[in-house]
Amino acid sequence: MAPGHPSPSGAWLWETRTAAVIAERLRGFGVDAVATGVGKTGVVATLHGQGGPAADPGDAILIRADMDALPIQEETGLEYASQNPGRMHACGHDGHTTMLLGAAKHLAENRNFKGTVHFVFQPAEEGGAGAKAMIEDGLFERFPCRMVFGMHNWPNMPLGKFAVRSGPVLASADEFSIEIQGQGGHAAKPDGARDPLVAGAHLVAQLQTIVSRRVDPLQPAVLSVTRFQAGSAFNIIPDRASLSGTVRSFDEGVHAEIYEHMDRMTRLTAEAFQVSATLEQRPNGYPPVVNDAGATEVALATALAVAGEENVLREQPPTMGAEDFAFMAREKPGCFVFIGNGESAMLHHPKYNFNDEALPHGVALWSKLVEQALPL
């Protein structure tokens, strides 16, 4: 689940071996086709049910798992902890990949469905927009389908439980930066300077009024300034200051409105303090994940069949986390499901641990979903 930050340098390289292992396993399962290098390092396996390939995209679905890690030093102390310093599966993507591989193996052995299913193993979810890269590389033209599905583990949701709901489930998220150019000087002579630090401090305070005073209170939104950098010594007024942070919401119109207010506040605050300032919305943002009603109905029916009414949460609150599955759900009706990971440190924490006991539940959900979405 992406934090809304750019991917670390060389992120694609780290998935090369993983992608090769996945492709090898899929071929060993006897799927009908395996495509590699989709969106740089993505893997797509195609499996036909009884009766052969789907006659049209209406008889095909796509299931996606992410497979990348994070630039975090693991602190679990487990015997199977990451062997690559500064690289850790701190979001459970290795578990997501394993669950989808298990479903591919089971379905390849039984083919208890009619039509076609595409198993997508996606790179660079953690800020690298790997889903977007795969789409731009022709994912839906090469592997047509009528619905898309994804799943993410959720720490501290009990094992064996699923959360499925229609509508917004994850927020849009992006990163902004504001560069303030002033005129430096001696701290003992502030009237001879144009202090960018003071302008930045006022701007931070002003930005916090956007959500509380400019956005519809019935529309959830977050604007967080998370970094403020300026100065190098106690007696020098700096020339420059920089701010950065993140904006998150469930509505793309609200997201655009927030940036309009940010731009105006940045310009007017700079004018008031006789400095210059520029706002940049960095192009690595993700749109919100909005579950389609029809696709959610399929996922919900599957979860009920696999886990029972008592283990399916229909009203799990949305979260301000972000996921680039959003790009796929923009193109096709989609549903993103959460699966319980049991007691655990939260995602992106150095002591997070994917619970292997969740694996059979995930395999069961994916296998049953294919059989229900593509019935004989």
Side-chain angles (χ1 to χ4, degrees):
M1 187 171 295
H5 300 316
S7 58
S9 176
W12 302 104
L13 178 63
W14 288 91
E15 293 153 4
T16 303
R17 178 183 174 276
T18 302
V21 171
I22 290 169
E24 180 183 4
R25 295 292 175 87
L26 289 165
R27 293 187 183 102
F29 298 160
V31 299
D32 295 296
V34 177
T36 59
V38 183
K40 294 190 179 181
T41 56
V43 179
V44 182
T46 297
L47 181 68
H48 305 305
Q50 296 181 27
D56 61 67
D59 296 324
I61 64 170
L62 182 150
I63 305 175
R64 168 271 203 179
D66 38 16
M67 59 181 181
D68 56 333
L70 279 158
I72 293 175
Q73 182 63 43
E74 184 163 353
E75 297 178 4
T76 62
L78 296 168
E79 61 181 356
Y80 50 84
S82 173
Q83 297 179 15
N84 296 299
R87 294 291 186 271
M88 175 189 176
H89 270 294
C91 206
H93 296 183
D94 50 344
H96 303 164
T97 290
T98 302
M99 290 188 289
L100 192 56
L101 282 171
K105 183 177 188 296
H106 171 79
L107 291 164
E109 292 170 350
N110 296 277
R111 300 190 189 241
N112 191 32
F113 64 98
K114 184 176 182 180
T116 297
V117 56
H118 303 295
F119 303 99
V120 174
F121 298 86
Q122 180 213 298
E125 189 278 325
E126 297 291 356
K132 185 178 181 182
M134 294 189 80
I135 292 168
E136 291 174 347
D137 200 18
L139 176 68
F140 291 120
E141 291 76 24
R142 297 165 64 182
F143 310 98
C145 63
R146 62 182 167 91
M147 288 189 294
V148 297
F149 297 92
M151 182 160 56
H152 205 291
N153 78 95
W154 200 245
N156 302 314
M157 179 189 293
L159 281 167
K161 288 189 180 290
F162 296 94
V164 187
R165 62 172 292 158
S166 184
V169 291
L170 289 158
S172 60
D174 57 23
E175 182 182 357
F176 68 84
S177 64
I178 299 174
E179 297 296 327
I180 304 171
Q181 177 66 57
Q183 180 181 320
H186 198 293
K189 188 72 173 161
D191 57 305
R194 296 291 180 264
D195 194 338
L197 197 155
V198 173
H202 278 263
L203 185 54
V204 170
Q206 292 299 315
L207 292 174
Q208 298 311 306
T209 68
I210 293 176
V211 172
S212 66
R213 290 295 178 268
R214 294 298 179 185
V215 173
D216 181 345
L218 299 180
Q219 292 283 355
V222 168
L223 192 170
S224 293
V225 179
T226 56
R227 184 171 56 192
F228 191 152
Q229 294 179 320
S232 59
F234 80 97
N235 60 350
I236 299 173
I237 294 172
D239 279 316
R240 299 178 63 84
S242 63
L243 312 176
S244 60
T246 183
V247 174
R248 297 177 182 236
S249 67
F250 294 113
D251 183 280
E252 294 188 61
V254 168
H255 211 78
E257 179 187 357
I258 290 172
Y259 271 98
E260 289 175 10
H261 293 306
M262 290 176 67
D263 182 66
R264 182 171 61 256
M265 285 183 176
T266 299
R267 287 186 289 102
L268 294 178
T269 301
E271 182 180 342
F273 286 91
Q274 295 181 284
V275 298
S276 63
T278 56
L279 167 67
E280 179 186 2
Q281 180 181 1
R282 297 188 177 171
N284 62 329
Y286 291 175
V289 176
V290 181
N291 282 348
D292 171 78
T296 301
E297 187 177 338
V298 173
L300 179 59
T302 302
L304 290 170
V306 167
E309 181 75 43
E310 68 280 8
N311 289 313
V312 179
L313 309 176
R314 304 179 191 227
E315 297 300 328
Q316 178 81 354
T319 173
M320 283 292 176
E323 241 282 353
D324 73 346
F325 179 79
F327 290 108
M328 295 186 181
R330 259 182 167 185
E331 299 291 326
K332 300 288 182 179
C335 182
F336 198 69
V337 177
F338 291 96
I339 181 173
N341 192 52
E343 291 188 17
S344 169
M346 196 52 188
L347 305 172
H348 294 212
H349 191 280
K351 291 186 178 179
Y352 164 85
N353 180 38
F354 181 86
N355 192 333
D356 288 353
E357 292 183 27
L359 294 174
H361 300 286
V363 172
L365 183 86
W366 283 146
S367 300
K368 189 67 174 178
L369 186 142
V370 171
E371 294 171 357
Q372 296 214 154
L374 302 170
L376 288 173

